[in-house]
Each structure stands twice: as C-alpha cells, then as structure tokens.
Amino acid sequence: MMQDEQKRAVAQAAIQYVPAGCIVGVGTGSTANYFIDELARIKHKIEGAVASSEATAQRLREHGIEVVDLNGVDSLPVYVDGADEITEHLHMIKGGGGALTREKIVAAVARKFICVADQGKLVGVLGKFPLPVEVVPMAQSYVARELTRLGGQPALRRGFTTDNGNIILDVCDLQILNPVELETTLNQITGVVTNGLFARRGADVLLLGADNGIRTIVV
Ligand code: 5RP
C-alpha cells in the first residue's frame, strides 16, 4: 500500500475502537482527517467529538459531527490521532501540525489512545523528526538558549501561530534516549507550554499501515 492508502486503512481500522453512544477524541493531521471521514459514516452512532485543534473542529462540523467542549465531558473512552514518529514502546513525537498542546490535553483525558500511522512513522529511536516545542512568544529567546544548552538546535517555525496564540520552536539534534525524562525536563523550562514528546502518556494501541496490511501493536 502507498502511504496515503496506509493512512486511510488505519483510519478505517480505528473505527472498531469507537464505542456506540460515546464522545470521541479526535486528533489533527492528514491521518486524523481520514479518521474524521470514516467517523462521518457512523455519526448517527456517536454523541459527538472533542477536537484537538480548530482545523479538526471545522472538519468535524463540515461532516455534520457535533463538536463538544472538553470541559463539559466527564469521560472520553477513546482518542484517535496520528504521530510524526512512534517507537515500539508507543512513545511518540507529535506536533508536526502544531496542535501538540491540545492533542496532549485530549490524550490526557482519554482512557485509550489509538495511534494511527503509516509505516514510515515507526522508528527505533525518536528524534530524526525535529521536536516541536510550543512556547509563549515573550520567552522565545530564553527558551531557545535553554534548548541549545541541552544540546538541541531550535528553529522558529516561521509564519505559524498555534491555536493558543503561541509560537513553535522545532528542535533538531536532541538525543532522545529517555523520552519520559526529556519530556519532563523540557516542560520545566519556564515559557514552554508543552513539548511534542508523548512518552509519559504514550499511545495504548498503534495501528500501523504496512505494504501487506495493518500491524497492531499494544502496550
Ligand atoms: C499534529 C500532529 C499529527 O498527528 C502529526 O503531525 C502526524 O500528521 P500526519 O497524520 O499528517 O502525518 O501531531 O500536530
């Protein structure tokens, strides 16, 4: 299967994890968009969806799916989202689309995180994909110096503002041998809203597209 076919196939497969009558957490990006298209087919069976970005909220509404405020939701059985990189331990780098903070919030609330990805996303060690870090604008220079001190090469994502009104620094060259520890360390830099390591709360299930079908990895 080509990359886009893999994305569509894993999005279709993720539907089986959506319980009838529930509110679904929905991620951001091209694979999540395929999932939204699939969700539209069963929209009469769900109550609504919590969106991880304005772009996702708009696409959900365009498909006639009700978008629900996370603050009005007691429980979220499942969250479905893509990743920029993922390991066999289901630790991820996310935020290529800049939605990392809202994605991390929805993932924190959800009981089950289903990651949907094409096979190119599976890596042995995280870090080839530059790590996105969402930063309050006035802290840009300070946070960039701190990230450099930690061995990274931060670059401002030009012309981009997050849904929360912040900037993104994309960080190359970080040694991500212990993603749980690095996630915590980076989040302790004052001015960082959050970083794109999803290791403390990784995925629970990975649906990985492959040439010959779908591989399911569960932790
Ligand atoms: C957006 C994300 C996406 O999940 C990630 O960038 C993967 O996107 P795609 O499915 O388009 O490859 O984290 O912030």
Side-chain angles (χ1 to χ4, degrees), residues 7 28-32 81-84 94-100 103 118 121:
K7 290 181 180 187
T28 298
S30 57
T31 321
D81 198 358
D84 297 302
K94 291 184 45 54
L100 58 159
E103 290 173 342
D118 58 274
K121 305 290 179 56

Side-chain angles (χ1 to χ4, degrees), residues 14-217:
I15 290 293
Q16 69 186 291
Y17 291 89
V18 177
C22 81
I23 293 175
V24 193
V26 183
T28 298
S30 57
T31 321
N33 282 346
Y34 282 122
F35 176 69
I36 296 170
D37 298 345
E38 295 301 324
L39 202 57
R41 297 176 198 269
I42 60 149
K43 65 182 175 192
H44 53 283
K45 290 191 187 159
I46 60 167
E47 235 183 82
V50 170
S52 62
S53 65
E54 297 299 333
T56 286
Q58 187 182 335
R59 194 177 182 97
L60 286 163
R61 288 194 190 100
E62 282 167 3
H63 279 81
I65 298 169
E66 189 183 345
V67 177
V68 181
D69 185 337
L70 183 63
N71 288 313
V73 170
D74 290 333
S75 87
L76 206 53
V78 68
Y79 176 59
V80 179
D81 198 358
D84 297 302
E85 284 185 349
I86 184 162
T87 68
E88 300 250 0
H89 301 291
L90 307 197
H91 296 150
M92 293 164 278
I93 287 183
K94 291 184 45 54
L100 58 159
T101 300
R102 294 189 186 193
E103 290 173 342
K104 206 174 264 196
I105 294 167
V106 184
V109 176
R111 284 204 295 281
K112 196 172 259 193
F113 186 145
I114 313 294
C115 180
V116 281
D118 58 274
Q119 65 185 355
K121 305 290 179 56
L122 187 65
V123 298
V125 179
L126 297 171
K128 203 165 173 193
F129 190 93
L131 180 68
V133 180
E134 181 164 352
V135 177
V136 174
M138 74 171 287
Q140 178 187 334
S141 299
Y142 168 69
V143 172
R145 285 195 296 275
E146 291 297 298
L147 291 168
T148 306
R149 209 170 52 79
L150 290 167
Q153 300 271 0
L156 176 67
R157 196 178 294 185
R158 295 204 175 270
F160 186 84
T161 305
T162 70
D163 286 346
N164 314 307
N166 297 312
I167 57 159
I168 298 272
L169 295 176
D170 291 304
V171 191
C172 296
D173 294 346
L174 284 170
Q175 281 247 325
I176 313 185
L177 300 175
N178 186 336
V180 173
E181 192 178 83
L182 186 63
E183 181 178 357
T184 306
T185 302
L186 296 180
N187 281 347
Q188 280 167 352
I189 302 171
T190 303
V192 168
V193 179
T194 198
N195 71 83
L197 280 171
F198 283 57
R200 295 176 64 84
R201 200 283 179 255
D204 301 298
V205 177
L206 168 61
L207 300 174
L208 188 71
D211 291 333
N212 51 355
I214 295 171
R215 189 176 155 204
T216 303
I217 302 176

